[in-house]
Amino acid sequence: MSAYDLAEADYLTRLTVRRLAELNATRARVEALEARASLAEEYEIERRKLELLQRLQDKYAGLSPIVVTDASLAIADLREHLQGVYDADLLSDPQLRALTMLHAVAFSARTLDRFSEPGRYALEGSAGVLELGASTLAMFSSRAGGGAAFTEAFAVPVLVKLLSPLYAPVVVVHIANAIGNLADDLDIRLALRSGGGIGALVRLLRPDCEASVQAAAAGALSLLAARDIVVQDSVRYLGGIDLVVDLLVTADAYTAEAARYCLLSLRRGNTKNQAETIAAIRANSNVVRNVRRVDPELLRFEEGTPRVRSSYAPPSPPALGYGYGTPTKALARPTTADSYRRTAAALDSMTGALARSLSPGRYRSPLAAAISATASPAATALRGSLEAELARAASPVRSSLRASTLAARYSPPPASSALALAEPEAALGVMPEVDSDLLKRKHLIRYTAEELATLLQEMGFDKLDLRSFKLHAVAGVDLLDMSEDEMVVRLLLPRHKVRKLRALQRAVALFDRIATLPRQGRLSEVELRLFLAAQGCGSAEVDKVVRLFRSLVRTDKLDFVTFWDFVCAYDWIAQAFRIYAIPA
C-alpha cells in the first residue's frame, strides 16, 4: 500500500471513533432526560395522592373512630359463634358440634391475632375482646375433640403470641390453661416446641410476672413435661428449673403447689433434670431456709432414699399394683409353674455366665493386667494360685445352682409360690425391703432379682418396666450377659430403656477395669489413681480427674465410692473421662 492509502485509512478510523463518542454522549443525555421525566411523573402522582388524602382528612376529621364499633362487632360475632355451639350441643349432633366448634375456634384465633397487634391493643375495647377470646379458647380446649379443632384452625401461633407479660394477666392465664388442657395432643406439643411455646412459658416464670401467671405457666409446663421428654430437656436448657425452684417457697400457696407439680413432672424419668433440680435446691438460700416445705421426692436422686409416694402420683387400682388400668403383654404369658422354672439350657448358660464372671479375664484391672503381662516364675505362680482359688470359689456356686434348680423341678411348689403364681400382679406389685447400706457395697453380679429391681428403680425405671424383670427373675448375673435384642424381646422394654441397661453394662465394665479384685463392691482413691496412671495420664491430670470425679460422684472418707453410686453417676463419669481422652 502507498503512503496515501495509509493516511486515508487512519483518517477514517479517527473519524469513526469521534462519531461513536458523540453518539454515546447523545445517548447518555437522552437517558438522563427520560429518567428526569419519569421522576417528574412519579412526583406528580404522589403529589395528587397527598392532596386527595388531605381533602379526605379535612372532610371526615369530625367523625368518631370506628374502633369501638369494630370491637363491638367482634364481640357480637363471637357470641353468635358461641350460640351456634350451644345449639349444636342441644341437638346432640357430633358432626354439627365439631363443625361449629371448629368455626368458633378459628374465629376466636383470628380475632385475638387481629386485636393483639401493638397498634390496636392499646385502643378502647381491645382488652375486652382479648379477655373474651382467651376465655373462649380456654373453654374449647377442655372439650372433647378440642385438640383437632385447634390444629385445623392453626391456633397455636396465636397462643404462643399471647404468652407474654405485655398482655393482661387474665388473658395470659386463660391461654396458659388452654395449653395445659391441650397437652395430650401430640400435634399441639410439636407445634408448641417448634413455635417457641416452651420458651414463652418459661419466660412467664420470672419474678416480674404476677403470681397467677406464674402458677398458670407452671401448671402448663407440668402437663407438657409429664408427656414429652423433649419438653423436659428444653426447660432445663432454658434455665426454667431454677425459676421453678424459686417458686417453691413463694408466699402464694397455689403457686408453690403448681411449682412442686412442675418439678415432679420435669424430673420424672430424666436423671439430668433430677441432678439439676437437686443442685438448684441446694444453691437457693430461700429454699434451704424453708426446707420443710420441699417434697422429699425432689431430693430422692442424691440421697438414695426409697421412692416416696407423693400427691403427684395417681392412685393405683386395686386390681393391678402398677397404677395402670389395662394389662400388658407380660400378663398374657403362661402362669404355670413350669414357665417360671429354668430349663437345662438356661441353667447351663447361667452357670457359664457365672464362671465367666468369676474368671480374671473378665475383670481387667491394672493389677491383673500387670500380673498377666509379667512372665517371671513368681508371677506365674501367683497367677496359678489366683486361678485355683477362683475355681474353688466357683465350684460350690455351680453345685448349689444346679441342686436348687433340680429340687425346684422335681418337687411341688410351696403354697406361697403357688399363691404368687396364681396372682402375679399382686405378687409383683410389692417391693421387698432391702438393706440400702449393704446393697450399695455389693457388685451387680451379687444382686438378686429384688435388689436389681431396686437399682433400676433408682435409675428411672417404673413399675411397668420392672414387671418383666420380676416375672423372669432376672438377677444381676443375667443382666450382664443380656444382648440388646434379648432386652427388647424378652423384657418388652422400649428402646430408650434398653439404652439405659446397655449404659449400666458399660458402667459395670468400667468399674471392673478400675477395681483391683473381681466382684468388689467399692473403689478406693488409690485404685482410681492406678487406673488413670495405666491409661497414660500424668500426675497433674490424675489430680484433676480425681477432683472432677469427687465433684460428680458422692464419696466418703471410708469407701471413697460404692458400686451403687458409681453406676448411678456413670453418665457424668463417662463424660469426664472423655474430656481427658480416657476410654470409658
Side-chain angles (χ1 to χ4, degrees):
M1 294 179 64
S2 62
Y4 176 77
D5 295 336
L6 292 175
E8 185 177 2
D10 182 59
Y11 172 74
L12 292 176
T13 302
R14 286 184 291 175
L15 182 62
T16 303
V17 171
R18 184 182 301 173
R19 295 302 183 202
L20 289 176
E22 292 177 356
L23 289 176
N24 288 334
T26 305
R27 185 177 60 180
R29 287 194 296 270
V30 171
E31 290 179 354
L33 291 175
E34 290 178 353
R36 188 177 303 174
S38 62
L39 289 177
E41 292 178 359
E42 293 178 1
Y43 174 76
E44 183 66 21
I45 294 173
E46 189 69 22
R47 187 184 62 80
R48 291 178 181 177
K49 289 182 180 180
L50 292 176
E51 289 181 357
L52 179 60
L53 291 176
Q54 186 65 33
R55 289 198 301 268
L56 292 176
Q57 184 178 1
D58 295 340
K59 183 177 180 180
Y60 297 104
L63 297 180
S64 59
I66 62 173
V67 176
V68 178
T69 306
D70 192 9
S72 302
L73 291 176
I75 293 175
D77 293 341
L78 186 57
R79 287 176 179 173
E80 290 181 1
H81 282 85
L82 294 176
Q83 185 64 36
V85 175
Y86 176 74
D87 295 339
D89 290 339
L90 292 179
L91 295 176
S92 301
D93 188 351
Q95 296 181 355
L96 183 60
R97 184 186 299 115
L99 184 60
T100 54
M101 182 171 61
L102 174 60
H103 284 289
V105 170
F107 179 78
S108 300
R110 290 196 304 268
T111 303
L112 289 176
D113 189 18
R114 183 160 51 95
F115 279 86
S116 60
E117 294 296 332
R120 184 178 289 246
Y121 171 66
L123 299 178
E124 185 179 357
S126 297
V129 176
L130 290 177
E131 182 177 353
L132 182 59
S135 61
T136 302
L137 292 181
M139 183 266 294
F140 283 124
S141 65
S142 60
R143 292 168 61 96
F150 276 79
T151 304
E152 294 181 17
F154 300 99
V156 175
V158 180
L159 299 181
V160 176
K161 179 182 178 181
L162 293 174
L163 289 176
S164 173
L166 299 177
Y167 299 102
V170 62
V171 176
V172 181
V173 169
H174 284 314
I175 297 300
N177 292 337
I179 292 175
N181 295 334
L182 298 171
D184 288 330
D185 193 277
L186 178 60
D187 295 333
I188 298 295
R189 295 202 303 270
L190 292 176
L192 285 172
R193 283 159 40 182
S194 60
I198 308 303
L201 288 172
V202 172
R203 169 63 183 87
L204 297 178
L205 298 175
R206 293 184 179 179
D208 57 350
C209 298
E210 294 190 4
S212 59
V213 175
Q214 293 174 341
L221 286 175
S222 174
L223 295 171
L224 291 171
R227 295 164 176 84
D228 200 329
I229 192 172
V230 178
V231 176
Q232 298 178 357
D233 295 336
S234 300
V235 174
R236 183 180 73 251
Y237 295 150
L238 296 171
I241 293 181
D242 293 333
L243 297 176
V244 179
V245 169
D246 290 337
L247 300 179
L248 286 176
V249 291
T250 187
D252 187 60
Y254 180 75
T255 304
E257 190 70 8
R260 185 174 69 88
Y261 286 151
C262 185
L263 286 176
L264 290 172
S265 298
L266 291 172
R267 56 174 280 117
R268 183 173 183 176
N270 195 320
T271 55
K272 292 184 179 179
N273 280 6
Q274 293 173 11
E276 185 75 17
T277 302
I278 296 172
I281 291 175
R282 287 185 166 185
N284 195 309
S285 59
N286 294 329
V287 178
V288 172
R289 286 195 296 266
N290 299 272
V291 70
R292 294 185 177 180
R293 298 176 59 180
V294 178
D295 192 345
E297 179 72 7
L298 300 177
L299 300 172
R300 185 186 58 83
F301 178 81
E302 184 186 19
E303 299 297 334
T305 57
R307 186 178 295 274
V308 180
R309 183 175 185 84
S310 63
S311 58
Y312 170 75
S316 58
L320 298 174
Y322 298 93
Y324 297 90
T326 57
T328 60
K329 295 181 180 179
L331 298 180
R333 297 191 174 189
T335 56
T336 60
D338 294 335
S339 63
Y340 287 88
R341 294 171 182 165
R342 298 184 182 271
T343 61
L347 177 63
D348 295 338
S349 63
M350 181 177 179
T351 307
L354 183 58
R356 290 193 303 271
S357 67
L358 292 171
S359 63
R362 184 181 178 91
Y363 299 90
R364 303 297 298 173
S365 63
L367 179 60
I371 294 175
S372 300
T374 306
S376 61
T380 305
L382 178 59
R383 184 166 59 252
S385 63
L386 286 176
E387 293 177 355
E389 291 180 2
L390 289 173
R392 287 195 301 271
S395 179
V397 175
R398 295 193 186 97
S399 302
S400 61
L401 283 174
R402 186 171 294 277
S404 61
T405 305
L406 293 176
R409 181 179 298 177
Y410 296 106
S411 62
S416 59
S417 62
L419 179 59
L421 295 176
E423 299 180 358
E425 297 88 352
L428 295 177
V430 179
M431 179 68 68
E433 295 293 336
V434 295
D435 189 354
S436 59
D437 294 335
L438 180 61
L439 181 59
K440 290 183 178 181
R441 290 172 172 81
K442 290 178 64 175
H443 193 276
L444 183 65
I445 201 170
R446 302 175 183 268
Y447 274 37
T448 62
E450 292 80 7
E451 294 171 345
L452 178 61
T454 305
L455 175 61
L456 296 179
Q457 189 176 9
E458 177 71 17
M459 296 175 63
F461 286 71
D462 54 18
K463 293 183 178 180
L464 182 61
D465 300 328
L466 298 178
R467 181 182 301 174
S468 299
F469 286 89
K470 289 183 171 294
L471 190 64
H472 296 285
V474 178
V477 64
D478 302 323
L479 183 61
L480 284 177
D481 289 322
M482 272 192 181
S483 62
E484 184 173 353
D485 295 334
E486 190 175 3
M487 294 175 186
V488 176
V489 177
R490 182 182 176 187
L491 301 179
L492 301 175
L493 292 176
R495 287 293 178 181
H496 66 280
K497 295 299 177 64
V498 171
R499 288 194 292 269
K500 283 189 176 182
L501 293 181
R502 299 290 290 178
L504 176 59
Q505 292 177 344
R506 292 193 296 271
V508 175
L510 179 60
F511 185 89
D512 295 338
R513 289 169 55 197
I514 302 175
T516 306
L517 299 176
R519 298 184 299 162
Q520 70 181 45
R522 54 184 181 265
L523 292 176
S524 64
E525 184 177 353
V526 176
E527 290 173 326
L528 179 60
R529 290 181 176 273
L530 287 175
F531 170 76
L532 296 175
Q535 299 300 322
C537 296
S539 58
E541 291 183 351
V542 169
D543 294 337
K544 291 180 181 179
V545 175
V546 170
R547 286 197 299 269
L548 182 59
F549 188 87
R550 286 181 175 275
S551 65
L552 296 176
V553 188
R554 187 176 61 178
T555 59
D556 52 30
K557 296 181 180 179
L558 181 61
D559 299 329
F560 185 61
V561 61
T562 61
F563 175 82
W564 179 289
D565 297 327
F566 185 91
V567 297
C568 288
Y570 170 72
D571 293 337
W572 303 96
I573 298 172
Q575 183 66 22
F577 281 7
R578 290 191 199 100
I579 295 175
Y580 290 93
I582 301 173

